[in-house]
Amino acid sequence: MRGVRALRILLPLVLTVAGCGIQATDVVEVGDPATVDVAPGGPEGTLLYFVSSSSASRLMPVVRQVDLTTEGDAGTGGAVRVWRGSDKAMIMLFDGPTKAEADAGLRTELPYIRTLALTLGPDGVTVRVNTAVTELSEVARQQLICTAAQARTADRGAEVKVIGTDGVIGPAHCSV
């Protein structure tokens, strides 16, 4: 009986010391994390850039469908406004993340503002807003710049200038 009892006590100890044949290794470096280009998903899709809660300065692209429906009621003679996708993209950006996006850890650093104009010219994209812009954080600036460049040109590399009531940001490029 003593032999069986001793074996029960010693067997786990012997297996632990032996390590079941698993050898220790050093850390193996494998490189940077993978990056993926995100496509807006067709003519009615657009990319918005929100801030990841996991990193204070990391922007995450979000694919949203742009609802290009009209305002008003054409059947009763009401005024009808057809949205351009780029205008709607900027409105969605200023509205912030949806509940599902917020639940997934996305947020915005932009105040609630509206775009007055989003134009594409020979020098790139110009965004005019009805609020102060020079005091925006760098992350908020990048949210604006990346979304405007993508919405108007489908190219994050486009030069963007943001004109507010207190001055101008840029010309600048999306850093994502």
Side-chain angles (χ1 to χ4, degrees):
M1 205 62 173
R2 277 186 162 163
V4 173
R5 185 185 241 175
L7 185 59
R8 282 186 187 165
I9 293 172
L10 290 177
L11 185 59
L13 182 63
V14 169
L15 290 176
T16 302
V17 171
C20 298
I22 299 173
Q23 303 272 332
T25 63
D26 291 331
V27 174
V28 177
E29 295 291 332
V30 293
D32 292 328
T35 59
V36 177
D37 282 334
V38 178
E44 294 181 3
T46 191
L47 286 178
L48 309 177
Y49 289 84
F50 292 113
V51 184
S52 170
S53 294
S54 64
S55 173
S57 62
R58 183 170 181 193
L59 291 185
M60 300 294 291
V62 173
V63 177
R64 288 250 195 109
Q65 292 303 308
V66 179
D67 180 12
L68 297 176
T69 57
T70 56
E71 281 187 344
D73 184 0
T76 60
V80 175
R81 177 173 181 191
V82 179
W83 290 101
R84 288 194 326 248
S86 58
D87 295 340
K88 194 73 170 185
M90 296 306 290
I91 290 169
M92 289 188 297
L93 175 69
F94 294 132
D95 285 344
T98 63
K99 181 176 179 349
E101 292 163 352
D103 289 347
L106 297 177
R107 61 185 175 76
T108 185
E109 290 220 354
L110 289 168
Y112 182 77
I113 54 180
R114 288 288 183 209
T115 303
L116 297 178
L118 180 67
T119 57
L120 178 61
D123 297 332
V125 179
T126 301
V127 181
R128 292 180 191 276
V129 294
N130 61 349
T131 192
V133 294
T134 59
E135 296 299 318
L136 291 175
S137 70
E138 184 57 33
V139 174
R141 290 175 184 216
Q142 283 298 307
Q143 278 187 265
L144 259 174
I145 291 165
C146 293
T147 301
Q150 184 72 39
R152 203 64 177 109
T153 68
D155 177 13
R156 289 186 316 248
E159 210 167 65
V160 177
K161 181 169 42 172
V162 180
I163 302 171
T165 58
D166 65 340
V168 177
I169 297 172
H173 295 275
C174 177
S175 66
V176 177

